[in-house]
Amino acid sequence: MLKIVLVVLLAFLVQYVFKTLPNDIVATGDNSFLVSNDGGAQTVLANAIEMLTGFFKGGLVYYDGKKTQYLLENTVANGIILSRDRKTLFVSHINQETIGVFAWNQEKVSIRKISEIETLTGCDNFYIDQENNLWSGCHPVLKDAVGHLGDATNPSLFSQSQVLRFKFSSDLKTAEMVEVFSDDGRFTSASAIAATFDNGKQLLIGTVFRDLTHCDIDVPLDF
């Protein structure tokens, strides 16, 4: 019983003592934007408490140029991106290893959940290609990513990397996933974003702290 009480008290400490932790931002107008918070803490200890207790204090916030409004609360919101037609919002819930898919209404400043895609990996940030496929740099072993990010200058610490491409169904309720890149971290450590160019023939993989990786894509990704 005492342990449960201590956990609850620590969770409230995270919520009320520490600040939010912005992660990603998407412009929605000249003076407005969406911003994700992947936690309610700005220290390693407080972030660890959030993850261990499950009392996540991150979320999604909209700013219209004058005031802010929460669209998602008490969750983990990491990478965010709008579809090319600006009607669909994708949110990475990295700790839950899912991607939330939401209908975005700019006029009403509201979101409606369409689906939640299980990824079995920690998706970080997003890119949408010309064919409306969603790309993500991912952390397949989150505990190794946490260790690497906590001591990024240590060359002996690295984190596995993965790039996934998601092709969504027309109703956005399901997605086909293709693993385009995978590495144990010694070549590309902690992949955070992936983007294609040259008509999908080339791929850039950005990492959290280390070098950019440039790849050729010379195999078909649709089966």
Side-chain angles (χ1 to χ4, degrees):
M1 183 65 182
L2 179 59
K3 289 183 179 180
I4 295 175
V5 172
L6 289 174
V7 165
V8 172
L9 288 175
L10 287 172
F12 278 106
L13 179 68
V14 169
Q15 180 179 6
Y16 293 110
V17 175
F18 297 99
K19 299 178 181 179
T20 55
L21 185 62
N23 183 285
D24 202 1
I25 188 168
V26 171
T28 57
D30 292 339
N31 299 301
S32 63
F33 56 84
L34 293 159
V35 61
S36 64
N37 285 310
D38 61 17
Q42 291 186 324
T43 68
V44 174
L45 174 60
N47 277 320
I49 292 170
E50 275 197 51
M51 288 187 288
L52 290 173
T53 61
F55 285 87
F56 301 118
K57 294 303 172 185
L60 181 70
V61 177
Y62 176 75
Y63 178 68
D64 66 2
K66 296 181 180 179
K67 63 180 184 300
T68 59
Q69 174 183 335
Y70 264 98
L71 300 178
L72 291 173
E73 294 185 79
N74 300 324
T75 186
V76 176
N78 200 76
I80 55 174
I81 198 168
L82 285 171
S83 59
R84 288 186 173 269
D85 63 7
R86 317 293 285 179
K87 295 181 179 180
T88 307
L89 174 68
F90 301 94
V91 179
S92 170
H93 302 296
I94 189 169
N95 288 44
Q96 286 85 12
E97 297 187 343
T98 63
I99 295 174
V101 184
F102 301 87
W104 163 245
N105 188 314
Q106 176 78 28
E107 292 184 2
K108 296 182 179 179
V109 188
S110 65
I111 58 174
R112 174 181 56 82
K113 189 172 183 178
I114 299 172
S115 63
E116 189 165 305
I117 307 300
E118 294 187 4
T119 61
L120 303 179
T121 188
C123 291
D124 203 325
N125 296 304
F126 297 133
Y127 166 76
I128 294 181
D129 66 20
Q130 295 294 329
E131 297 178 349
N132 290 310
N133 298 312
L134 183 72
W135 294 72
S136 181
C138 307
H139 308 287
V141 185
L142 284 173
K143 66 178 182 63
D144 288 348
V146 171
H148 167 61
L149 301 183
D151 190 7
T153 59
N154 186 343
S156 66
L157 290 178
F158 46 84
S159 175
Q160 297 81 5
S161 289
Q162 184 182 38
V163 172
L164 295 180
R165 190 203 69 169
F166 298 85
K167 180 182 284 291
F168 282 86
S169 59
S170 58
D171 61 5
L172 298 170
K173 292 184 178 181
T174 62
E176 294 180 358
M177 291 182 286
V178 176
E179 185 182 60
V180 183
F181 177 89
S182 180
D183 184 68
D184 68 359
R186 282 175 283 192
F187 180 70
T188 302
S189 184
S191 53
I193 182 69
T196 60
F197 66 103
D198 190 21
N199 294 319
K201 297 177 182 178
Q202 299 186 63
L203 175 69
L204 293 177
I205 305 169
T207 65
V208 180
F209 288 112
R210 298 187 180 168
D211 293 340
L212 180 77
T213 298
H214 180 195
C215 304
D216 291 325
I217 300 177
D218 56 4
V219 295
L221 299 181
D222 294 312
F223 305 101

